[in-house]
Amino acid sequence: MRRGLLLLGAALIVSGAYAKDLRSAVESPDATPILEKDRLPPPKEYTMPKECITDDPLAIARGKYIFHNLNGKKAKTPPPKGLPRFIVVNGKKVPKQYGNCVACHNIEGAVGPGNIGPDLHNYKKHFIDSGARSYQFVYQKIADARIDNPKTHMTINLTTGLFTPREICEITSYVVSQKKEK
Amino acid sequence: MKKWLSLTLVGLLLGSMAVAEEKLSMTEADRALYQEMLENNPADIFVEEGAEHLEELGGEEALAKFLGVSEEELPRYIAGFPRYIDKIGMVVAIDQMLQAFTYDQGKKPYPLKSAEMDGFAAYVKSLANGEKINIDVNANEHMKQAYKLGKEMFEMRRGKRGLSCYSCHSPDVVGLRLRMQILPDLGDPKVKAAATWPAYRMTKGKMFTLQKRFQQCMKNALLAKIPLGSPQMVALEVYVTDMAKGQEIHIPGLKR
């Protein structure tokens, strides 16, 4: 009699616990903390720093290198002086990320460019000298393109902390510079 | 034995291909190799291992019983994943369902990360080969929620470059080129994205599930990788699978 009751109790527990039990066998970690940390901050407006646009060949070379390369590990040629291949994040040595702008934009000397963004050939002549774009506009576009275009497919480069304002200046200087090859 | 030999050969070929691949998404030689592999997918061997594992757990009969369907209904039922399964109490992808099933059969489930699970999940999904994807995102509140979360995940800009899946797979950019890669339209019947994963990736020399493919895009675009099986990842699979609804399943797929 007592044994019968016990068995009945056990059966009830088993049926109730079954779903919970099956569930415990299934991996289902919560990604919320990862996503929270990874979220893109709201769009931010920037004022170009003083003496941002330069014709210093080394600064332009760094901007160019950032434009054409993905990161310090993948890059085939050594970076110009002042631009590291690796940086230390939380005590760990990791490849420095570059802009990989060429993935979306064609420009003078591009190898395997994409066509998601506009072609930036002759940018100085067509966009700057013509008065269509200011340096400030280009700086803001590269820093955080959402200000000009909330739905942009372009990468966000300053608000995410990927680059420093000085690096954005160097990339901008490269884009607006006079380039030799067609 | 012979299969292993040809696999090694494929490995060698792929090794040299990886170098060329940096520049071009697919050379003529890659394309020829692709045609050849279509006939003899290197992933078949892993799928066969999956078949053996299912046998050990009681075969299709046991699986159908676990899922509460008849053996005839099984392929159509499998073509509807991810689904909400009442006795598990959540929306699950095939690999997670197989964890519950394995446990129910008194065995230790493969981890989602493992290559064994990829083969197992690929085999079970291949039972639905020839069936059309019939996911029902309105089947119940759980699926509706998962679809909503999946859309949110797809459009969420994040990471150091502030990109989302939508940045590269939205209707206004698909077909354009990112470096030398064409941005695929995940709903395109020619791409058959959700209908062809798990697939063998020639450039990686391995088979991956759809969720692992998502992780590769996350890694490339600098979005933090979210874990396999997380409700957010399953939701993303629901959303992307719905894009390919009605397309015929063909497992294992073969990708660049």
Side-chain angles (χ1 to χ4, degrees), chain A residues 43-66:
Chain A
K44 199 165 165 196
E45 218 168 330
Y46 296 96
T47 307
M48 193 172 65
K50 282 208 184 70
E51 286 154 33
C52 179
I53 304 307
T54 169
D55 47 19
D56 169 17
L58 194 57
I60 290 178
R62 284 193 291 266
K64 178 176 178 183
Y65 194 86
I66 291 175

PDB file of all heavy atoms in Angstrom, chain A residues 43-66:
ATOM      1  N   PRO A  43      24.006  57.194 -33.310  1.00  0.00           N
ATOM      2  CA  PRO A  43      24.793  58.015 -34.230  1.00  0.00           C
ATOM      3  C   PRO A  43      25.390  59.231 -33.523  1.00  0.00           C
ATOM      4  O   PRO A  43      24.761  59.799 -32.641  1.00  0.00           O
ATOM      5  CB  PRO A  43      23.764  58.480 -35.269  1.00  0.00           C
ATOM      6  CG  PRO A  43      22.616  57.561 -35.139  1.00  0.00           C
ATOM      7  CD  PRO A  43      22.618  57.034 -33.758  1.00  0.00           C
ATOM      8  N   LYS A  44      26.592  59.608 -33.903  1.00  0.00           N
ATOM      9  CA  LYS A  44      27.253  60.723 -33.239  1.00  0.00           C
ATOM     10  C   LYS A  44      27.833  61.689 -34.260  1.00  0.00           C
ATOM     11  O   LYS A  44      28.420  61.265 -35.248  1.00  0.00           O
ATOM     12  CB  LYS A  44      28.351  60.164 -32.333  1.00  0.00           C
ATOM     13  CG  LYS A  44      28.782  61.132 -31.281  1.00  0.00           C
ATOM     14  CD  LYS A  44      29.575  60.470 -30.188  1.00  0.00           C
ATOM     15  CE  LYS A  44      30.272  61.579 -29.406  1.00  0.00           C
ATOM     16  NZ  LYS A  44      31.338  61.097 -28.568  1.00  0.00           N
ATOM     17  N   GLU A  45      27.619  62.970 -33.978  1.00  0.00           N
ATOM     18  CA  GLU A  45      28.141  64.000 -34.872  1.00  0.00           C
ATOM     19  C   GLU A  45      29.523  64.431 -34.396  1.00  0.00           C
ATOM     20  O   GLU A  45      29.735  64.587 -33.195  1.00  0.00           O
ATOM     21  CB  GLU A  45      27.186  65.185 -34.849  1.00  0.00           C
ATOM     22  CG  GLU A  45      27.043  65.799 -36.202  1.00  0.00           C
ATOM     23  CD  GLU A  45      25.891  66.800 -36.277  1.00  0.00           C
ATOM     24  OE1 GLU A  45      24.890  66.644 -35.546  1.00  0.00           O
ATOM     25  OE2 GLU A  45      26.038  67.737 -37.078  1.00  0.00           O
ATOM     26  N   TYR A  46      30.433  64.605 -35.307  1.00  0.00           N
ATOM     27  CA  TYR A  46      31.804  64.980 -34.934  1.00  0.00           C
ATOM     28  C   TYR A  46      32.212  66.264 -35.631  1.00  0.00           C
ATOM     29  O   TYR A  46      31.767  66.539 -36.746  1.00  0.00           O
ATOM     30  CB  TYR A  46      32.794  63.880 -35.337  1.00  0.00           C
ATOM     31  CG  TYR A  46      32.574  62.576 -34.613  1.00  0.00           C
ATOM     32  CD1 TYR A  46      31.818  61.563 -35.197  1.00  0.00           C
ATOM     33  CD2 TYR A  46      33.094  62.358 -33.331  1.00  0.00           C
ATOM     34  CE1 TYR A  46      31.596  60.365 -34.530  1.00  0.00           C
ATOM     35  CE2 TYR A  46      32.878  61.163 -32.660  1.00  0.00           C
ATOM     36  CZ  TYR A  46      32.127  60.165 -33.267  1.00  0.00           C
ATOM     37  OH  TYR A  46      31.907  58.989 -32.612  1.00  0.00           O
ATOM     38  N   THR A  47      33.090  67.008 -34.972  1.00  0.00           N
ATOM     39  CA  THR A  47      33.729  68.143 -35.623  1.00  0.00           C
ATOM     40  C   THR A  47      35.159  67.727 -35.920  1.00  0.00           C
ATOM     41  O   THR A  47      35.860  67.244 -35.031  1.00  0.00           O
ATOM     42  CB  THR A  47      33.728  69.376 -34.707  1.00  0.00           C
ATOM     43  OG1 THR A  47      32.382  69.596 -34.285  1.00  0.00           O
ATOM     44  CG2 THR A  47      34.254  70.602 -35.433  1.00  0.00           C
ATOM     45  N   MET A  48      35.539  67.901 -37.149  1.00  0.00           N
ATOM     46  CA  MET A  48      36.884  67.519 -37.565  1.00  0.00           C
ATOM     47  C   MET A  48      37.928  68.253 -36.713  1.00  0.00           C
ATOM     48  O   MET A  48      37.819  69.468 -36.539  1.00  0.00           O
ATOM     49  CB  MET A  48      37.024  67.917 -39.033  1.00  0.00           C
ATOM     50  CG  MET A  48      38.202  67.344 -39.721  1.00  0.00           C
ATOM     51  SD  MET A  48      38.111  67.709 -41.492  1.00  0.00           S
ATOM     52  CE  MET A  48      38.238  69.476 -41.502  1.00  0.00           C
ATOM     53  N   PRO A  49      38.915  67.558 -36.148  1.00  0.00           N
ATOM     54  CA  PRO A  49      39.929  68.236 -35.344  1.00  0.00           C
ATOM     55  C   PRO A  49      40.727  69.243 -36.179  1.00  0.00           C
ATOM     56  O   PRO A  49      40.748  69.145 -37.405  1.00  0.00           O
ATOM     57  CB  PRO A  49      40.847  67.098 -34.879  1.00  0.00           C
ATOM     58  CG  PRO A  49      40.166  65.839 -35.216  1.00  0.00           C
ATOM     59  CD  PRO A  49      39.145  66.116 -36.260  1.00  0.00           C
ATOM     60  N   LYS A  50      41.395  70.172 -35.493  1.00  0.00           N
ATOM     61  CA  LYS A  50      42.242  71.155 -36.201  1.00  0.00           C
ATOM     62  C   LYS A  50      43.399  70.424 -36.888  1.00  0.00           C
ATOM     63  O   LYS A  50      43.906  69.434 -36.390  1.00  0.00           O
ATOM     64  CB  LYS A  50      42.811  72.140 -35.188  1.00  0.00           C
ATOM     65  CG  LYS A  50      41.800  73.192 -34.763  1.00  0.00           C
ATOM     66  CD  LYS A  50      42.510  74.495 -34.356  1.00  0.00           C
ATOM     67  CE  LYS A  50      41.518  75.506 -33.852  1.00  0.00           C
ATOM     68  NZ  LYS A  50      40.942  75.123 -32.524  1.00  0.00           N
ATOM     69  N   GLU A  51      43.807  70.940 -38.003  1.00  0.00           N
ATOM     70  CA  GLU A  51      44.926  70.392 -38.773  1.00  0.00           C
ATOM     71  C   GLU A  51      44.730  68.911 -39.099  1.00  0.00           C
ATOM     72  O   GLU A  51      45.675  68.126 -39.088  1.00  0.00           O
ATOM     73  CB  GLU A  51      46.256  70.600 -38.038  1.00  0.00           C
ATOM     74  CG  GLU A  51      46.711  72.050 -38.106  1.00  0.00           C
ATOM     75  CD  GLU A  51      47.602  72.421 -36.929  1.00  0.00           C
ATOM     76  OE1 GLU A  51      48.340  71.551 -36.453  1.00  0.00           O
ATOM     77  OE2 GLU A  51      47.542  73.590 -36.502  1.00  0.00           O
ATOM     78  N   CYS A  52      43.481  68.551 -39.330  1.00  0.00           N
ATOM     79  CA  CYS A  52      43.129  67.145 -39.601  1.00  0.00           C
ATOM     80  C   CYS A  52      43.613  66.740 -40.989  1.00  0.00           C
ATOM     81  O   CYS A  52      44.299  65.739 -41.138  1.00  0.00           O
ATOM     82  CB  CYS A  52      41.620  66.992 -39.483  1.00  0.00           C
ATOM     83  SG  CYS A  52      40.988  65.351 -39.800  1.00  0.00           S
ATOM     84  N   ILE A  53      43.261  67.529 -41.970  1.00  0.00           N
ATOM     85  CA  ILE A  53      43.620  67.173 -43.342  1.00  0.00           C
ATOM     86  C   ILE A  53      45.047  67.644 -43.619  1.00  0.00           C
ATOM     87  O   ILE A  53      45.372  68.809 -43.459  1.00  0.00           O
ATOM     88  CB  ILE A  53      42.634  67.805 -44.351  1.00  0.00           C
ATOM     89  CG1 ILE A  53      41.206  67.380 -44.019  1.00  0.00           C
ATOM     90  CG2 ILE A  53      42.993  67.405 -45.792  1.00  0.00           C
ATOM     91  CD1 ILE A  53      40.987  65.881 -43.892  1.00  0.00           C
ATOM     92  N   THR A  54      45.872  66.687 -44.008  1.00  0.00           N
ATOM     93  CA  THR A  54      47.292  66.967 -44.138  1.00  0.00           C
ATOM     94  C   THR A  54      47.809  66.475 -45.488  1.00  0.00           C
ATOM     95  O   THR A  54      47.178  65.593 -46.103  1.00  0.00           O
ATOM     96  CB  THR A  54      48.062  66.257 -42.995  1.00  0.00           C
ATOM     97  OG1 THR A  54      49.455  66.317 -43.269  1.00  0.00           O
ATOM     98  CG2 THR A  54      47.667  64.806 -42.863  1.00  0.00           C
ATOM     99  N   ASP A  55      48.929  67.040 -45.928  1.00  0.00           N
ATOM    100  CA  ASP A  55      49.573  66.451 -47.103  1.00  0.00           C
ATOM    101  C   ASP A  55      50.893  65.776 -46.714  1.00  0.00           C
ATOM    102  O   ASP A  55      51.726  65.482 -47.573  1.00  0.00           O
ATOM    103  CB  ASP A  55      49.749  67.454 -48.253  1.00  0.00           C
ATOM    104  CG  ASP A  55      50.327  68.769 -47.779  1.00  0.00           C
ATOM    105  OD1 ASP A  55      50.909  68.777 -46.671  1.00  0.00           O
ATOM    106  OD2 ASP A  55      50.188  69.781 -48.507  1.00  0.00           O
ATOM    107  N   ASP A  56      51.054  65.518 -45.432  1.00  0.00           N
ATOM    108  CA  ASP A  56      52.201  64.745 -44.942  1.00  0.00           C
ATOM    109  C   ASP A  56      52.162  63.349 -45.573  1.00  0.00           C
ATOM    110  O   ASP A  56      51.214  62.588 -45.350  1.00  0.00           O
ATOM    111  CB  ASP A  56      52.125  64.649 -43.414  1.00  0.00           C
ATOM    112  CG  ASP A  56      53.127  63.643 -42.847  1.00  0.00           C
ATOM    113  OD1 ASP A  56      54.074  63.277 -43.577  1.00  0.00           O
ATOM    114  OD2 ASP A  56      52.930  63.210 -41.691  1.00  0.00           O
ATOM    115  N   PRO A  57      53.178  63.013 -46.389  1.00  0.00           N
ATOM    116  CA  PRO A  57      53.149  61.730 -47.118  1.00  0.00           C
ATOM    117  C   PRO A  57      53.019  60.517 -46.196  1.00  0.00           C
ATOM    118  O   PRO A  57      52.362  59.541 -46.555  1.00  0.00           O
ATOM    119  CB  PRO A  57      54.498  61.695 -47.852  1.00  0.00           C
ATOM    120  CG  PRO A  57      55.019  63.083 -47.814  1.00  0.00           C
ATOM    121  CD  PRO A  57      54.408  63.781 -46.650  1.00  0.00           C
ATOM    122  N   LEU A  58      53.628  60.585 -45.017  1.00  0.00           N
ATOM    123  CA  LEU A  58      53.574  59.425 -44.116  1.00  0.00           C
ATOM    124  C   LEU A  58      52.158  59.236 -43.556  1.00  0.00           C
ATOM    125  O   LEU A  58      51.654  58.113 -43.471  1.00  0.00           O
ATOM    126  CB  LEU A  58      54.594  59.601 -42.984  1.00  0.00           C
ATOM    127  CG  LEU A  58      54.866  58.341 -42.176  1.00  0.00           C
ATOM    128  CD1 LEU A  58      55.337  57.191 -43.068  1.00  0.00           C
ATOM    129  CD2 LEU A  58      55.910  58.607 -41.090  1.00  0.00           C
ATOM    130  N   ALA A  59      51.518  60.329 -43.206  1.00  0.00           N
ATOM    131  CA  ALA A  59      50.136  60.251 -42.702  1.00  0.00           C
ATOM    132  C   ALA A  59      49.222  59.701 -43.793  1.00  0.00           C
ATOM    133  O   ALA A  59      48.378  58.829 -43.546  1.00  0.00           O
ATOM    134  CB  ALA A  59      49.665  61.628 -42.249  1.00  0.00           C
ATOM    135  N   ILE A  60      49.411  60.196 -45.012  1.00  0.00           N
ATOM    136  CA  ILE A  60      48.580  59.714 -46.128  1.00  0.00           C
ATOM    137  C   ILE A  60      48.860  58.233 -46.395  1.00  0.00           C
ATOM    138  O   ILE A  60      47.947  57.458 -46.680  1.00  0.00           O
ATOM    139  CB  ILE A  60      48.819  60.580 -47.391  1.00  0.00           C
ATOM    140  CG1 ILE A  60      48.213  61.969 -47.140  1.00  0.00           C
ATOM    141  CG2 ILE A  60      48.213  59.937 -48.630  1.00  0.00           C
ATOM    142  CD1 ILE A  60      48.394  62.956 -48.270  1.00  0.00           C
ATOM    143  N   ALA A  61      50.143  57.853 -46.260  1.00  0.00           N
ATOM    144  CA  ALA A  61      50.498  56.439 -46.466  1.00  0.00           C
ATOM    145  C   ALA A  61      49.782  55.548 -45.445  1.00  0.00           C
ATOM    146  O   ALA A  61      49.308  54.456 -45.776  1.00  0.00           O
ATOM    147  CB  ALA A  61      52.007  56.260 -46.362  1.00  0.00           C
ATOM    148  N   ARG A  62      49.692  56.027 -44.214  1.00  0.00           N
ATOM    149  CA  ARG A  62      48.966  55.245 -43.195  1.00  0.00           C
ATOM    150  C   ARG A  62      47.475  55.157 -43.545  1.00  0.00           C
ATOM    151  O   ARG A  62      46.864  54.094 -43.459  1.00  0.00           O
ATOM    152  CB  ARG A  62      49.155  55.874 -41.808  1.00  0.00           C
ATOM    153  CG  ARG A  62      50.538  55.605 -41.203  1.00  0.00           C
ATOM    154  CD  ARG A  62      50.569  55.964 -39.719  1.00  0.00           C
ATOM    155  NE  ARG A  62      50.482  57.405 -39.498  1.00  0.00           N
ATOM    156  CZ  ARG A  62      51.543  58.218 -39.341  1.00  0.00           C
ATOM    157  NH1 ARG A  62      52.769  57.713 -39.355  1.00  0.00           N
ATOM    158  NH2 ARG A  62      51.367  59.509 -39.149  1.00  0.00           N
ATOM    159  N   GLY A  63      46.921  56.285 -43.955  1.00  0.00           N
ATOM    160  CA  GLY A  63      45.508  56.305 -44.364  1.00  0.00           C
ATOM    161  C   GLY A  63      45.268  55.338 -45.517  1.00  0.00           C
ATOM    162  O   GLY A  63      44.295  54.572 -45.518  1.00  0.00           O
ATOM    163  N   LYS A  64      46.174  55.357 -46.470  1.00  0.00           N
ATOM    164  CA  LYS A  64      46.064  54.482 -47.636  1.00  0.00           C
ATOM    165  C   LYS A  64      46.117  53.009 -47.212  1.00  0.00           C
ATOM    166  O   LYS A  64      45.342  52.176 -47.670  1.00  0.00           O
ATOM    167  CB  LYS A  64      47.209  54.799 -48.601  1.00  0.00           C
ATOM    168  CG  LYS A  64      47.230  53.931 -49.840  1.00  0.00           C
ATOM    169  CD  LYS A  64      48.334  54.361 -50.791  1.00  0.00           C
ATOM    170  CE  LYS A  64      48.374  53.457 -52.006  1.00  0.00           C
ATOM    171  NZ  LYS A  64      49.473  53.805 -52.914  1.00  0.00           N
ATOM    172  N   TYR A  65      47.058  52.743 -46.304  1.00  0.00           N
ATOM    173  CA  TYR A  65      47.226  51.358 -45.849  1.00  0.00           C
ATOM    174  C   TYR A  65      45.963  50.867 -45.131  1.00  0.00           C
ATOM    175  O   TYR A  65      45.509  49.735 -45.346  1.00  0.00           O
ATOM    176  CB  TYR A  65      48.438  51.295 -44.908  1.00  0.00           C
ATOM    177  CG  TYR A  65      48.927  49.894 -44.640  1.00  0.00           C
ATOM    178  CD1 TYR A  65      49.821  49.280 -45.505  1.00  0.00           C
ATOM    179  CD2 TYR A  65      48.489  49.189 -43.522  1.00  0.00           C
ATOM    180  CE1 TYR A  65      50.275  47.993 -45.269  1.00  0.00           C
ATOM    181  CE2 TYR A  65      48.952  47.900 -43.273  1.00  0.00           C
ATOM    182  CZ  TYR A  65      49.841  47.312 -44.144  1.00  0.00           C
ATOM    183  OH  TYR A  65      50.293  46.038 -43.893  1.00  0.00           O
ATOM    184  N   ILE A  66      45.398  51.726 -44.302  1.00  0.00           N
ATOM    185  CA  ILE A  66      44.161  51.361 -43.590  1.00  0.00           C
ATOM    186  C   ILE A  66      43.034  51.129 -44.598  1.00  0.00           C
ATOM    187  O   ILE A  66      42.220  50.222 -44.450  1.00  0.00           O
ATOM    188  CB  ILE A  66      43.776  52.458 -42.571  1.00  0.00           C
ATOM    189  CG1 ILE A  66      44.796  52.481 -41.416  1.00  0.00           C
ATOM    190  CG2 ILE A  66      42.370  52.241 -42.028  1.00  0.00           C
ATOM    191  CD1 ILE A  66      44.580  53.604 -40.406  1.00  0.00           C
TER     192      ILE A  66
END
